[in-house]
Amino acid sequence: MTFEPVIGLEVHAQLLTRSKLFCACSAAFGAAPNAHTCPVCMAFPGVLPVVNRQAVEFAIRAGLAAGCRIAPVSQWARKNYFYPDLPKAYQISMYEAPICVGGRVSFTVGGEHRAVRLTRIHLEEDAGKSIHDAHADSSLVDLNRAGVPLLEIVSEPELGSPAEAAAYLKSLRSIVQYLEICDGNMEEGSFRCDANISVRPAGGDRLGTRAEVKNMNSFRAVERALEHEIARQIAVVSGGGQVVQETRLWDAEREVTRPMRSKEFAHDYRYFPEPDLPPLVVDEAWVERVRAGLPELPSARRVRFVRDLGLPDYDAEVLTARRDVADYFEAAAGGQPNAKAIGNWVMESVLRIVRERRLDDPPRIRDWPVAPEALADLVALIDRGTISGKIAKTVFDEMVASGRPPREIVESRGLVQLTDAAAIAAAVDRVIAAHGDKVAEYRSGKEKLFGFFVGQVMKATEGKANPKQVNDLLRERLRG
Amino acid sequence: MSASNLDPSRLTIAAAAERLRRRELSAGEILEACLARIAATEPRLRAFLTVSGELARSQAREADERLRRGEPRSVLDGIPIALKDVFVTRGVRTTAASRILENFVPPYDATTVARLRERGAVLIGKTNCDEFAMGSSTENSAFGPTRNPWSLDRVPGGSSGGSAVAVAAGQCLGALGTDTGGSIRLPAAYCGVVGLKPTYGRVSRQGIVAYASSLDQVGPFGADVRDAAILLEALAGHDPLDSTSAPLPVPRYQDALRPEADGLRVGVPREYFQEGMQPEVESGVREAIAVLESLGAAVEMVSLPHTPYAVAAYYLVATAEASSNLARYDGIRYGRRAAAKTLLETYRRSREQGFGAEVKRRIMLGTYALSAGYYDAYYVKAQKVRTLIRRDFDRAFEQCDVLVAPTAPTTAFRLGEKTADPLTMYLSDVLTISVNLAGLPGMSIPCGVDGGGLPIGLQLIGKPFGEESLLRAAYAYEQATDWHELRPDPALCAAQGPAGGPGDGGARR
């Protein structure tokens, strides 16, 4: 019997608000332990939560981008459990009445466009961090993260493979980055994902018993963990066994999932409506204001790049994955005839330098190695035949190093392509004269030597000769 | 020593403020008189958990300086006020009458405390109460009970018993309490003072050690209705730090105080006069209703049919919220931490040793009510009852402006009388709880004494944010009667030797 997996993802996206969800403490990452705390996020007696309006607006932004219904009235709820990094011993979340309902996220997998429906998006506060390995006999608690706003984005269980799950996740990350509400950093945990997985006989309509997998810290980990978990469940079911409903942890080093807690030990979170906060009211005017301020989303932009700029599907996908990259590309390609070439330069050269020099500060590239207008000028120089593609690489490196405009570099360093037919002919003739023996060999059938002659001519012209003219002329003269 | 008009501790806030303004009296003198009363009566009454004499003296000096310059900050400038020990006070120990917070000194003020400070009030100390405000007699304090100044073998009511006693016994001129199911009104009734529980949302809860968030509300105790109005005006108003506080303007409550009740429509809820209530309480309240009628009020009977379900609904909602609110007391970040080897043991022992029996009982009840499989049957059902109770009141208020009823079925009971049976104790609040469930303003004012000389409380209930109607009715009644001038015998509270028996709490006019 063949089996098919059914996957649903729960994503937690940390929001890029300045302050925490319910108090004025900074939500920034990386401060000294417990530097960003106050009586509210440390749950001192008598303190009360006050909702961060910006966080609500970010949730609305995400909801609109994913085509959710924005609930006019939603309700905060308490999720109760004891843990030292949860100071109130409850997390303020949303339960029965989330702020965003429904919606869908499209993604591309194997060149095919697909979409997954969302169940809901809601707001909640993050917990602090427990540090277990700093001391042998005690654990430490850092409450800087306690109260930082999170968006929980829950998909329907309808992803059919680990590849689809990863593609959906990438698309979702791209969206939250476009919206500038989350930096999408999986390694630092600002974009986290748990998966619910079950398997069933292929084509079946009933869901099997699911396991939840946690602790996947990269797209690769998500794919690997899901592959492993699907194989494990299929082995269990094929062997006549039953999948146990439980939570499992992905061990990235050993590449296995391990049980964390079973259903019998599952927490009873005793959810109930948060009495310290009135229902969250979002009126239509607010929703419309947010809608008016939404940026063009990656999927729409991809379609436009293909349609209007003539980019291949793949290039459009890569160039629209991040808003800042797409913005940069568009600034360079706007009004230029050769958008495809500019796209190649962005993907191959510009982003390489960004990576090498660590200029990326997700969701924003801090510093671009060359201005988009300068990149457009460079491509124009190639298109007009002023420089060759080969020389252009040298010019680009020089642009990055000095910040000078490409035309100036080309002129000052005499890199203008040699197109004067007489001058090229002279060089070709000199090379033929100097290598009589090789000419004879070539003419007797050793055509591989053609490259040698091209090399010699380029050398003689310091690489500036127009390669097509060199080729044509050499072929003619060698024919004898 | 007798209750002389010259003893500044017996002055009302209004009278004291007037004398301060005319500089016939200093804030220092008023404070010292109160501190002297505290010194004389505390060994027997035990109304205070902390007397902040030093802080109070420095505040009184500053107040006198302002008064000397003729620049008082408000009518409360220089007036000694006591706070129930659930109000978080910067630099002053705040225990909620619990071992688990025995040595907790907060780094911040409750919004209401800050409002009092801004207005120049002198914070004389923190009063005793039931642990985490859970109780009806102040016997659940981890630091021992407070006694009723009218009769030392009686409870003062609870949970804000210490605040009611402090006002009744002249240990301060006004006090603040909290009322979750009757915790201001019941002690006000038992101690013969005025207690006002405002509409839910009228006063900020920020900085109140939470018991049940959807029911808790801060309110004042005063020697008379005007003092309650003065304090309410200082406390009320929107607080950006409490999202459940109402963004409504604060009326000048003193303007509502008029000595007639012309055109006031007074409803008498049939269900609040039950079988088994103390006859003197019923006759006292009925006489009070007759007084209101004679002052021009139109009186009619109304019905609140869901009243019998209020106590049950309350003990589900309040305990559910409490079970969650009190989960933060884990011994990790502040408060009492028991020595233990593991995390779980630390939690268990800290909470085992830190909480008293009633608090544990309510945490367990509330945890149960919220548990998977029981939530719908208990918590959700209780919320539905709450809606029905609110609708009862809505309907009643279509016909009237205020409701009047007894505050409690009996006068103050004896210490120890109900501690063995929690359910009997819970029923002390049978007439006050509905008001909290509906979020309405309620008030208790003195309307007589029983055969043993114990005060009887008249409860007034208003529409949401209808505090002005409450105050108007209460003031008209008060002007026509003199029950509010009754004070417990100071000699009794101050006497040495064993606490007196029943009936020896003689009243003096």
Side-chain angles (χ1 to χ4, degrees):
Chain A
M1 194 190 289
T2 56
F3 291 91
E4 64 181 16
V6 180
I7 302 165
L9 295 187
E10 264 179 43
V11 171
H12 288 93
Q14 214 173 71
L15 295 179
L16 287 171
T17 53
R18 268 199 301 276
S19 56
K20 293 186 179 182
L21 185 50
F22 299 117
C23 65
C25 285
S26 166
F29 180 79
N34 298 306
H36 294 166
T37 56
C38 74
V40 175
C41 55
M42 287 199 294
F44 270 52
V47 296
L48 296 171
V50 178
V51 177
N52 182 335
R53 195 181 160 85
Q54 184 74 72
V56 175
E57 184 148 331
F58 282 2
I60 299 171
R61 241 188 245 179
L64 289 177
C68 305
R69 187 174 71 79
I70 310 299
V73 181
S74 46
Q75 175 74 56
W76 302 96
R78 291 188 186 177
K79 178 180 180 178
N80 296 282
Y81 64 95
F82 282 97
Y83 205 69
D85 61 22
L86 188 72
K88 294 189 294 293
Y90 56 83
Q91 176 195 34
I92 304 178
S93 178
M94 291 176 159
Y95 188 57
E96 287 179 337
I99 183 166
C100 308
V101 182
R104 58 198 281 123
V105 171
S106 57
F107 55 90
T108 309
V109 64
E112 248 182 81
H113 298 301
R114 307 227 22 210
V116 63
R117 286 178 300 160
L118 298 185
T119 312
R120 59 191 282 160
I121 300 178
H122 73 245
L123 277 165
E124 62 185 29
E125 57 179 335
D126 209 343
K129 218 178 202 163
S130 293
I131 300 149
H132 299 298
D133 49 8
H135 289 272
D137 59 346
S138 58
S139 293
L140 301 176
V141 174
D142 177 3
L143 296 179
N144 284 349
R145 205 180 63 185
V148 167
L150 295 177
L151 216 52
E152 181 172 317
I153 303 156
V154 184
S155 85
E156 288 287 309
E158 53 186 36
L159 293 159
S161 69
E164 277 193 6
Y168 156 67
L169 206 55
K170 279 182 188 157
S171 173
L172 188 61
R173 184 174 76 157
S174 175
I175 290 169
V176 295
Q177 288 179 330
Y178 258 66
L179 299 173
E180 296 183 318
I181 61 175
C182 173
D183 66 20
N185 191 326
M186 285 190 88
E187 285 73 24
E188 276 178 15
S190 55
F191 190 79
R192 314 196 277 269
C193 156
D194 302 332
N196 283 302
I197 308 143
S198 62
V199 297
R200 65 182 173 196
D205 51 7
R206 263 188 48 227
L207 291 174
T209 306
R210 69 173 192 275
E212 187 183 8
V213 178
K214 291 176 174 290
N215 198 38
M216 299 170 291
N217 301 324
S218 65
F219 290 114
R220 165 137 191 93
V222 170
E223 270 192 89
R224 297 288 297 139
L226 292 178
E227 279 161 10
H228 170 272
E229 180 59 19
I230 290 162
R232 188 191 69 84
Q233 288 190 14
I234 289 174
V236 168
V237 178
S238 310
Q242 295 218 315
V243 173
V244 180
Q245 189 177 332
E246 60 184 355
T247 301
R248 301 178 68 89
L249 281 184
W250 172 243
D251 181 335
E253 256 171 57
R254 296 197 192 131
E255 300 227 312
V256 291
T257 62
R258 283 186 283 108
M260 184 171 119
R261 57 171 177 256
S262 72
K263 191 186 173 190
E264 294 87 85
F265 294 98
H267 289 296
D268 178 355
Y269 290 119
R270 290 172 285 123
Y271 279 101
F272 72 104
E274 165 58 281
D276 283 333
L277 291 171
L280 179 62
V281 176
V282 178
D283 61 25
E284 214 162 300
W286 192 5
V287 173
E288 290 316 312
R289 268 200 313 281
V290 176
R291 196 194 302 278
L294 282 185
E296 185 185 27
L297 290 169
S299 51
R301 213 165 189 186
R302 193 192 62 228
V303 169
R304 186 165 62 79
F305 281 5
V306 172
R307 191 188 57 213
D308 297 353
L309 301 176
L311 287 194
D313 225 24
Y314 174 82
D315 293 11
E317 176 97 23
V318 173
L319 288 170
T320 54
R322 276 179 55 160
R323 181 178 170 183
D324 52 355
V325 174
D327 285 348
Y328 177 89
F329 163 73
E330 234 181 329
Q336 300 293 324
N338 201 349
K340 180 170 170 12
I342 290 176
N344 282 333
W345 276 92
V346 172
M347 292 186 287
E348 282 161 26
S349 305
V350 177
L351 291 178
R352 175 178 50 84
I353 303 286
V354 166
R355 272 193 307 277
E356 283 170 9
R357 304 202 169 182
R358 299 172 189 281
L359 301 173
D360 195 4
D361 193 4
R364 278 272 178 217
I365 285 168
R366 225 177 314 116
D367 225 346
W368 288 95
V370 299
E373 299 76 21
L375 187 72
D377 287 347
L378 180 68
V379 174
L381 289 175
I382 304 166
D383 287 349
R384 283 200 297 271
T386 311
I387 55 173
S388 68
K390 188 156 182 263
I391 289 291
K393 291 202 176 7
T394 314
V395 176
F396 178 79
D397 288 344
E398 178 70 26
M399 287 163 67
V400 172
S402 68
R404 289 162 68 205
R407 185 174 304 277
E408 202 182 301
I409 295 169
V410 167
E411 280 166 10
S412 71
R413 292 190 42 190
L415 296 173
V416 177
Q417 184 165 256
L418 193 59
T419 51
D420 176 355
I424 294 175
V428 166
D429 290 342
R430 273 201 306 280
V431 167
I432 286 174
H435 297 284
D437 48 342
K438 293 249 170 26
V439 172
E441 281 180 52
Y442 178 85
R443 285 182 175 153
S444 65
K446 205 168 178 188
E447 294 193 356
K448 265 195 282 179
L449 278 171
F450 188 72
F452 165 79
F453 293 110
V454 173
Q456 289 301 311
V457 176
M458 292 312 274
K459 197 174 161 191
T461 59
E462 295 173 295
K464 287 183 287 187
N466 180 311
K468 186 174 181 319
Q469 282 175 279
V470 172
N471 281 355
D472 292 349
L473 211 56
L474 261 175
R475 241 180 264 287
E476 186 193 314
R477 294 284 157 89
L478 284 171
R479 223 177 283 134
Chain B
M1 196 172 90
S2 70
S4 152
N5 279 339
L6 293 177
D7 180 349
S9 73
R10 310 318 315 246
L11 293 171
T12 62
I13 293 172
E18 181 58 18
R19 292 194 190 189
L20 285 171
R21 195 181 62 77
R22 286 200 244 118
R23 310 214 46 236
E24 294 166 7
L25 203 58
S26 71
E29 285 169 307
I30 298 173
L31 174 64
E32 292 308 327
C34 289
L35 289 173
R37 291 285 300 158
I38 289 172
T41 57
E42 265 308 271
R44 309 198 83 180
L45 296 177
R46 309 192 57 156
F48 282 84
L49 292 176
T50 303
V51 176
S52 45
E54 215 171 297
L55 169 71
R57 285 193 172 104
S58 86
Q59 288 177 329
R61 272 194 301 277
E62 289 167 20
D64 278 327
E65 183 56 33
R66 290 189 294 268
L67 287 156
R68 199 184 50 74
R69 293 198 306 266
E71 296 167 357
R73 287 181 177 170
S74 81
V75 65
L76 291 176
D77 207 348
I79 304 293
I81 304 290
L83 304 168
K84 183 181 186 180
D85 209 16
V86 298
F87 286 74
V88 169
T89 42
R90 176 165 36 86
V92 179
R93 190 175 76 122
T94 300
T95 67
S98 180
R99 292 268 173 230
I100 210 156
L101 287 175
E102 192 166 1
N103 298 309
F104 175 60
V105 179
Y108 54 100
D109 272 330
T111 296
T112 40
V113 174
R115 281 173 175 260
L116 289 184
R117 285 196 206 251
E118 284 159 18
R119 285 162 177 74
V122 171
L123 307 180
I124 193 167
K126 309 294 292 290
T127 59
N128 197 14
C129 55
D130 288 296
E131 184 178 2
F132 285 102
M134 296 179 186
S136 309
S137 67
T138 314
E139 289 167 293
N140 293 334
S141 169
F143 308 109
T146 297
R147 288 172 186 271
N148 192 314
W150 296 86
S151 175
L152 295 174
D153 69 339
R154 304 277 168 161
V155 301
S159 67
S160 313
S163 285
V165 169
V167 171
Q171 296 175 321
C172 57
L173 302 198
L176 303 190
T178 58
D179 188 317
T180 306
S183 284
I184 288 174
R185 289 159 289 157
L186 188 69
Y190 284 4
C191 295
V193 296
V194 174
L196 171 57
K197 174 237 175 276
T199 309
Y200 185 81
R202 179 73 284 186
V203 179
S204 169
R205 293 184 297 115
Q206 197 281 137
I208 305 307
V209 176
Y211 159 25
S213 309
S214 73
L215 301 162
D216 293 344
Q217 186 60 199
V218 168
F221 289 95
D224 64 11
V225 172
R226 180 175 297 277
D227 282 5
I230 289 171
L231 284 168
L232 179 61
E233 206 169 305
L235 298 173
H238 179 245
D239 176 7
L241 296 178
D242 176 2
S243 305
T244 64
S245 71
L248 295 173
V250 178
R252 293 175 45 87
Y253 289 116
Q254 283 197 72
D255 291 351
L257 309 180
R258 292 201 305 273
E260 28 65 31
D262 283 342
L264 197 71
R265 298 173 306 163
V266 172
V268 179
R270 194 170 284 120
E271 292 79 3
Y272 281 50
F273 294 81
Q274 344 143 302
E275 284 290 302
M277 73 190 302
Q278 195 176 322
E280 292 149 305
V281 170
E282 173 159 8
S283 58
V285 170
R286 292 212 185 274
E287 275 170 39
I289 293 166
V291 169
L292 282 170
E293 202 160 15
S294 75
L295 293 169
V299 176
E300 62 179 299
M301 295 300 284
V302 297
S303 179
L304 301 170
H306 294 93
T307 302
Y309 306 104
V311 171
Y314 171 86
Y315 277 95
L316 290 166
V317 174
T319 59
E321 292 178 6
S323 71
S324 176
N325 283 334
L326 271 63
R328 70 187 56 197
Y329 304 106
D330 56 8
I332 304 284
R333 298 171 311 287
Y334 50 80
R336 183 193 188 91
R337 183 192 302 178
K341 286 211 170 66
T342 66
L343 177 65
L344 193 61
E345 276 304 300
T346 306
Y347 286 159
R348 281 188 176 147
R349 283 195 209 157
S350 299
R351 290 167 69 82
E352 153 73 35
Q353 295 167 13
F355 289 140
E358 183 60 29
V359 171
K360 286 175 190 163
R361 182 163 22 247
R362 294 197 193 189
I363 289 173
M364 285 188 285
L365 280 171
T367 303
Y368 187 77
L370 290 177
S371 297
Y374 299 96
Y375 178 77
D376 289 338
Y378 293 123
Y379 183 84
V380 172
K381 189 68 137 293
Q383 292 293 4
K384 287 179 180 165
V385 170
R386 207 171 165 176
T387 302
L388 293 173
I389 286 174
R390 199 175 290 130
R391 284 190 196 147
D392 280 357
F393 280 111
D394 288 346
R395 212 163 295 128
F397 282 122
E398 284 169 10
Q399 306 162 246
C400 45
D401 305 306
V402 291
L403 304 179
V404 295
T407 307
T410 66
T411 54
F413 51 89
R414 286 188 180 76
L415 270 96
E417 189 178 325
K418 299 186 179 180
T419 45
D421 183 358
L423 206 55
T424 313
M425 184 73 88
Y426 294 173
L427 289 172
S428 316
D429 295 329
V430 65
L431 302 180
T432 49
I433 269 175
S434 294
V435 168
N436 298 81
L437 289 171
L440 304 174
M443 195 169 178
S444 180
I445 60 174
C447 73
V449 289
D450 70 4
L454 296 170
I456 298 167
L458 176 72
Q459 183 174 210
L460 300 103
I461 301 168
K463 297 175 187 178
F465 302 97
E467 281 81 358
E468 287 167 288
S469 297
L470 277 193
L471 289 163
R472 184 183 166 205
Y475 184 76
Y477 173 79
E478 192 181 76
Q479 289 299 296
T481 57
D482 49 13
W483 298 111
H484 63 288
E485 285 168 16
L486 275 182
R487 286 287 181 274
D489 182 351
L492 168 73
C493 312
Q496 298 300 307
D504 67 353
R508 298 189 178 188
R509 293 226 174 167

